[in-house]
Amino acid sequence: MMKIRRLNVYKLGLFIEALVFVVSAFGATWLTSFVKAPWWAYVVVAAIAMGMFAAVRWALSEPQRMALLAHNTLADKLADAAVSYGVTDLYNMQRLADQNRRNNDTALTINNAHTMSLAANSGASYLSIGLQRHWPAVRQRLCERVPFRVILLDPFCDERALRNSVNVAGERDDSKLPFGDIIRAYNEFSNLEIRFVDAGMSCSVFITQDEAYFDPYHLAEDGGRISNRFMCLKMRKGDVRQGISNYEMMSRHFDALWNASIPLEDWLSKNGYEKKIALPELHSRKKLI
């Protein structure tokens, strides 16, 4: 059976409205100019036309009524399910155009942020000076005293080791983790908080006061390395009729990781990482307490 999309229903409704108008105008002219019908015949035709127009407008006036009129395609069902829970965009990260669009949209979100939170494996897209993806915009917001909470995956944990083993020759350390940039930013901005967690990093999540970006992680190998190009969802804060919104779910996901993580200073002390590679001196904040 052929599926009728909602846009087609609107087009059909517009056509019927136009048809009613044309038929009404023709009928009125025909009755008055050619048939010489009595006045009440004109009133009857006008009433019928008005009733038809009102019926079309009523049928298209409510989303619930539209749902009954239109047979949803798979795309309609996916859109309905996602949009009703706060999803505002989807990016196929295997497409260059979507990658660029996601990066541009993220930059706009950062520029409008009053609070920022990030949970990610390395955080390189947001914290690496060399990569120069989102760091310039993030730095500007940090200069404007916007708080930024960051959770990174512990590079020595089992979860990280598993990911490294899938990559070519097995990475011993996370080559993307910009430790020098992280410590320099931590020293410069007191409104930047950085923590490490050793489990639960199932996705990358960037959250502001009203928007969130969700990138799920996986272990699918592509060309000898884990492919980072999957589907990314953009979500907006809002109320839902049942359960919780996707934005709220990602916020709670971040809170759970934050509660399970340890601060940067404690993590460095625990692992003695400053003895393994040359790092900038860390200016401890504990001395200020």
Side-chain angles (χ1 to χ4, degrees):
M1 184 177 69
M2 183 178 67
K3 301 290 188 178
I4 303 176
R5 302 194 68 167
R6 293 186 177 186
L7 180 60
N8 293 334
V9 174
Y10 277 114
K11 290 180 179 178
L12 178 62
L14 182 62
F15 172 77
I16 294 175
E17 288 179 8
L19 182 63
V20 169
F21 174 80
V22 171
V23 171
S24 301
F26 176 80
T29 303
W30 182 69
L31 287 173
T32 57
S33 300
F34 297 99
V35 179
K36 303 297 183 181
W39 65 267
W40 55 264
Y42 179 83
V43 172
V44 170
V45 172
I48 293 174
M50 184 175 66
M52 293 175 62
F53 179 81
V56 173
R57 297 306 303 166
W58 177 84
L60 301 179
S61 62
E62 291 291 337
Q64 293 87 349
R65 230 170 272 129
M66 279 295 301
L68 294 175
L69 288 172
H71 298 282
N72 290 342
T73 63
L74 176 60
D76 293 321
K77 292 179 181 179
L78 291 174
D80 288 345
V83 171
S84 63
Y85 278 79
V87 175
T88 59
D89 212 333
L90 181 146
Y91 313 90
N92 183 348
M93 299 304 289
Q94 297 192 62
R95 298 175 179 172
L96 181 59
D98 277 20
Q99 293 178 39
N100 294 332
R101 189 164 59 87
R102 195 281 301 268
N103 291 336
N104 291 335
D105 289 351
T106 303
L108 291 175
T109 298
I110 293 172
N111 291 337
N112 294 322
H114 302 306
T115 63
M116 299 186 294
S117 301
L118 171 68
N121 271 346
S122 68
S125 293
Y126 295 84
L127 297 171
S128 173
I129 296 176
L131 188 58
Q132 285 289 302
R133 180 169 294 160
H134 299 312
W135 169 245
V138 168
R139 190 181 193 285
Q140 179 61 37
R141 303 306 285 148
L142 288 170
C143 289
E144 295 170 358
R145 309 305 301 166
V146 172
F148 190 17
R149 297 188 300 167
V150 177
I151 308 170
L152 303 176
L153 182 63
D154 188 331
F156 302 129
C157 69
D158 293 339
E159 195 167 321
R160 180 72 253 184
L162 176 60
R163 297 186 64 82
N164 290 345
S165 67
V166 179
N167 286 322
V168 174
E171 292 181 335
R172 184 174 181 181
D173 298 319
D174 189 348
S175 59
K176 293 183 178 180
L177 196 60
F179 266 112
D181 294 342
I182 288 172
I183 292 177
R184 279 186 285 267
Y186 181 84
N187 287 338
E188 183 176 359
F189 300 105
S190 60
N191 50 320
L192 173 62
E193 297 183 73
I194 298 176
R195 294 191 173 195
F196 285 86
V197 70
D198 59 7
M201 193 66 73
S202 57
C203 59
S204 169
V205 178
F206 177 70
I207 307 172
T208 67
Q209 71 282 352
D210 55 10
E211 290 186 323
Y213 292 81
F214 166 75
D215 284 280
Y217 288 146
H218 59 80
L219 293 171
E221 180 268 338
D222 180 20
R225 297 189 63 83
I226 296 173
S227 172
N228 294 323
R229 297 174 180 176
F230 195 58
M231 299 291 179
C232 173
L233 297 180
K234 180 182 179 182
M235 307 165 224
R236 190 163 187 86
K237 187 177 183 180
D239 297 326
V240 297
R241 293 185 177 182
Q242 182 178 357
I244 61 175
S245 69
N246 290 321
Y247 173 92
E248 180 62 27
M249 193 171 295
M250 290 302 99
S251 295
R252 296 183 185 183
H253 168 81
F254 180 89
D255 291 341
L257 288 176
W258 188 261
N259 293 333
S261 61
I262 63 175
L264 172 62
E265 295 181 39
D266 294 340
W267 183 87
L268 287 173
S269 176
K270 170 187 173 183
N271 292 281
Y273 202 78
E274 69 278 2
K275 299 177 182 179
K276 299 184 179 182
I277 61 174
L279 291 176
E281 180 183 357
L282 182 70
H283 300 163
S284 177
R285 295 177 187 173
K286 296 180 179 179
K287 298 177 182 178
L288 303 179
I289 297 177

